[in-house]
Amino acid sequence: MDRARQPEPTMPVAAVARRLGVAPATLRTWDRRYGLGPSRHTGGKHRRYGAADIRRLELMQRALLRGASTAEAAHFALEATITDIPAETSHGVRAAPDRSVARRLRGAALAMDALATQRLLAAAIADAGAVAAWEIVIEPVLTAFGAGWHGTHAGAEAEYLLSESVLAALIRATPLLEQPRNARPVLLSAVPEERGALPLYALAAGLAERGISVQLFGTPPPAEVLAVAVRRSAPAAVVLRAQRTTMADGGLFSRLSRGHQRGRLFAWGPGWAGTRLPGKVELLPDLREAAERIEYVLLGR
């Protein structure tokens, strides 16, 4: 018998309710309010749940168990179904990601669905590139989480899951370049004692997409260690990121240049706002312009 022509197995509402451990009336309510009902029709009057229908209900139930509201869980189940997300894309022209991806990413993190979170991130970066994915998808969701949980521990576990997933996705998107376009690397680091290195990983991935190799310190070293690293590796450029104004110190650049550092020096991040910088230090704005400016300075394009 041709297996391709066999109908997909389906289940009635009572069987699905037993599988999920909920009342049949609950499933009917979810169907009526949120459209999470069975999509298969039989010859009789009853509709039956297919595999995709059950998968959506399982996603909703998982979100509910993680503390999401019923409406949030339903939205996640409808938006974050990942069976149609491509694992790979061609290397053709990249389009900006749909902003709905950000909503789906937030829903996946709220549901503590690590697999969906990681696949959504991988697909966004593969489709649009690290810079566009950061601007349109990743940074808005991270910002929303930070604002939402300020002053409370509620939902903080989802923010931790998202941050770790973003870190892993950006590292995977930063390959080791066998033949980089730059002869000497670009050194990326946060200023000493600064927290939050994810923007640096996004910049590293964006530069790697341009064929530019980097040397990244995810954990910022003390000033004296950073100065030694700069002296020994002789990078083509140094980018220091400051997120908080209390951490920004323009004198750090002077310490880096004492060893006859010939590479370009860049300050990046909101922490540098209002900080007096040495004349040889260039202030970089957002992620996209940072990547483009570094590429131009190093390679003239």
Side-chain angles (χ1 to χ4, degrees):
M1 180 180 293
D2 187 354
R3 294 179 180 269
R5 295 180 179 276
Q6 290 183 350
E8 177 186 343
T10 58
M11 298 176 65
V13 62
V16 176
R18 286 194 300 271
R19 174 170 175 165
L20 298 178
V22 300
T26 299
L27 293 183
R28 296 190 181 98
T29 299
W30 290 353
D31 182 12
R32 184 175 65 256
R33 291 184 179 177
Y34 308 112
L36 284 165
S39 57
R40 301 287 180 174
H41 292 267
T42 63
K45 63 179 180 179
H46 298 292
R47 295 160 62 200
R48 297 173 65 90
Y49 290 82
D53 303 323
I54 296 171
R55 170 63 174 156
R56 281 191 290 269
L57 290 173
E58 290 173 339
L59 289 173
M60 179 170 182
Q61 189 178 48
R62 187 181 304 169
L64 288 171
L65 292 173
R66 300 306 187 202
S69 69
T70 306
E72 286 178 330
H75 180 77
F76 164 67
L78 290 169
E79 294 290 335
T81 302
I82 61 175
T83 54
D84 59 345
I85 297 176
E88 297 180 357
T89 58
S90 65
H91 294 285
V93 177
R94 288 170 162 175
D98 191 311
R99 292 186 183 273
S100 67
V101 177
R103 295 194 300 271
R104 294 161 66 188
L105 179 63
R106 180 177 181 272
L110 280 172
M112 296 297 288
D113 191 331
L115 177 60
T117 301
Q118 292 165 9
R119 292 194 64 179
L120 285 164
L121 287 167
I125 294 172
D127 287 346
V131 172
W134 176 267
E135 292 175 333
I136 299 174
V137 176
I138 299 171
E139 186 177 35
V141 177
L142 287 171
T143 301
F145 268 88
W149 314 136
H150 182 67
T152 175
H153 293 296
E157 72 284 352
E159 185 178 4
Y160 275 96
L161 170 68
L162 178 61
S163 296
E164 292 300 319
S165 298
V166 169
L167 176 61
L170 291 173
I171 289 175
R172 287 194 297 268
T174 311
L176 179 63
L177 300 175
E178 297 294 340
Q179 294 182 324
R181 296 166 62 202
N182 51 318
R184 293 180 292 146
V186 177
L187 190 148
L188 308 178
S189 177
V191 297
E193 300 184 25
E194 182 62 278
R195 300 192 302 266
L198 288 180
L200 287 169
Y201 283 94
L203 179 57
L207 291 174
E209 290 174 345
R210 291 166 166 78
I212 298 173
S213 65
V214 303
Q215 177 182 339
L216 171 61
F217 290 124
T219 301
E224 59 273 15
V225 176
L226 184 61
V228 172
V230 169
R231 185 173 68 251
R232 295 192 61 188
S233 60
V238 176
V239 179
L240 295 184
R241 180 174 176 83
Q243 185 68 25
R244 297 170 293 171
T245 55
T246 54
M247 296 292 103
D249 178 10
L252 181 59
F253 288 100
S254 299
R255 297 185 64 175
L256 298 184
S257 60
R258 287 175 187 170
H260 304 290
Q261 154 71 11
R262 297 180 181 178
R264 297 292 292 267
L265 299 174
F266 296 97
W268 182 42
W272 293 112
T275 301
R276 183 182 298 276
L277 295 170
K280 56 193 171 186
V281 178
E282 181 176 347
L283 184 64
L284 296 172
D286 58 24
L287 174 63
R288 180 175 297 277
E289 291 192 38
E292 292 175 352
R293 178 59 180 165
I294 292 170
E295 182 182 25
Y296 178 81
V297 169
L298 266 60
L299 304 169
R301 68 175 78 181

